[in-house]
Amino acid sequence: MSLSVQHMRWVVAAADFGGFSRAARHLGISQPSLSAVIQATEEKFGARLFDRTTRYIGPTAFGDLIVSRMRAVIAEYDAMLKDIEAFRDSRLGNLEIACLSSLAISVVPNAVRQLKERYPSIRLVINEANSGGVAQQVREGTVDMGICADTLAYDDLLFTPLAVERLGVFYSRVHFPEIRKLTWRKALTLPRIAMTERTGIPSLLDKHLPKFPDTIPPVVEVTNLATMHTMVRNGIGIGILPSFALRLDDGDDLAVQYLADPTIDRRIGAVSRRGRTRSPSAQVFADILHGLLKETQPAFDPPGQGERVAMMRAGD
């Protein structure tokens, strides 16, 4: 006989109820069926599990050992079933995501808060990277999902659009009071802080803008968004960033213009390996993020309509 977890439950019940008849009634089975399972189990182990008299049925010393081990197996089995159920419902498990820094400092914190409120047992890891780095981590299978721009083409990746962000020029109104209506050509003649090539922003500009002859080189190139914001606030130059990376507070002396001719947009989405089903927790996180991106999508000014002084912060 192959010993199943169900059979172990029957043996344990016989020990708990001190008799086969009471145990069988509790289990909803016939006494002969229970007796047959116990006898087959004893034959399998080659030792008696229960002493049987007309007045008493109870475990032998060997039976006590076997029953205690069976209890442990049953408890572990039941815990496994609960964990599987919880994982399916996204309450448990590990979730590792690679994400653009612009989103990691804007909408992702609110998404993490909502996820943890619903499923507090999830262990969550966020890896910040540019779009190329995000795609690479997804391709290597080191993360469950990526959130990045749709700027790379890989046959083995599936991109699900979540939102659209637009490049904007932002600057300090205190240090650049002369700025009114900007064009791309005019913006590129002003002192500016540039993101490095590996962030993907320079290549996006190169793709959409002609080579203006009067463009001046950037004052400095940076990789960190906080560094960019600090330098712009201090008047070192203007900055060019995607809309979700632009964190302007009410009362801030920073302003942003979304320029036309051309408008430069890029799609933001969830990236996963093609043919691989997302884990339930990854899908829940993507759904939460999709909703937040829709809520916090900046209302872009019509092209050429000038500056926007303050923008809504993610989570406000």
Side-chain angles (χ1 to χ4, degrees), residues 262-275:
T263 56
I264 303 179
D265 295 340
R266 66 177 185 177
R267 295 191 303 171
I268 297 297
V271 180
S272 55
R273 292 191 336 196
R274 190 176 298 276

Side-chain angles (χ1 to χ4, degrees), residues 3 30 66 123 212 227 237 242 267 294:
L3 189 62
S30 67
I66 293 300
R123 177 180 175 271
F212 299 120
T227 303
R267 295 191 303 171
K294 290 174 64 176

Side-chain angles (χ1 to χ4, degrees), residues 100 131 148-153 159 161 204 207 266-269 271:
L100 290 175
S131 288
C148 66
D150 185 19
T151 56
L152 302 169
F159 180 87
L204 195 60
K207 178 181 177 180
R266 66 177 185 177
R267 295 191 303 171
I268 297 297
V271 180

Side-chain angles (χ1 to χ4, degrees), residues 86-248:
F87 182 82
R88 286 175 178 169
D89 197 30
S90 303
R91 295 192 299 258
L92 201 66
N94 299 324
L95 177 60
E96 189 160 354
I97 294 173
C99 180
L100 290 175
S101 296
S102 58
L103 298 179
I105 66 171
S106 54
V107 294
V108 166
N110 203 357
V112 170
R113 179 181 59 79
Q114 291 190 29
L115 184 72
K116 296 294 284 188
E117 285 176 352
R118 292 169 61 179
Y119 310 117
S121 296
I122 285 180
R123 177 180 175 271
L124 183 62
V125 177
I126 305 291
N127 299 327
E128 293 183 45
N130 58 29
S131 288
V134 170
Q136 188 63 30
Q137 291 182 59
V138 174
R139 297 184 75 198
E140 292 173 350
T142 57
V143 296
D144 299 286
M145 183 178 64
I147 308 294
C148 66
D150 185 19
T151 56
L152 302 169
Y154 293 107
D155 293 338
D156 56 340
L157 295 184
L158 179 65
F159 180 87
T160 304
L162 299 177
V164 174
E165 63 176 357
R166 179 167 296 175
L167 287 193
V169 177
F170 75 116
Y171 51 91
S172 166
R173 291 179 294 131
V174 172
H175 295 93
F176 291 89
E178 72 281 4
I179 292 181
R180 294 295 181 265
K181 186 190 299 185
L182 282 173
T183 63
W184 283 115
R185 182 167 185 169
K186 175 62 177 175
L188 295 178
T189 64
L190 296 173
R192 72 181 185 281
I193 316 302
M195 300 300 287
T196 59
E197 183 63 42
R198 70 185 184 89
T199 64
I201 302 302
S203 59
L204 195 60
L205 291 170
D206 291 341
K207 178 181 177 180
H208 289 87
L209 297 179
K211 299 292 184 181
F212 299 120
D214 46 354
T215 296
I216 63 173
V219 176
V220 63
E221 297 181 27
V222 300
T223 58
N224 187 278
L225 293 174
T227 303
M228 164 78 82
H229 277 267
T230 300
M231 289 190 174
V232 170
R233 277 194 172 89
N234 281 277
I236 297 174
I238 66 168
I240 300 174
L241 285 177
S243 50
F244 285 114
L246 291 168
R247 305 183 68 192
L248 279 62

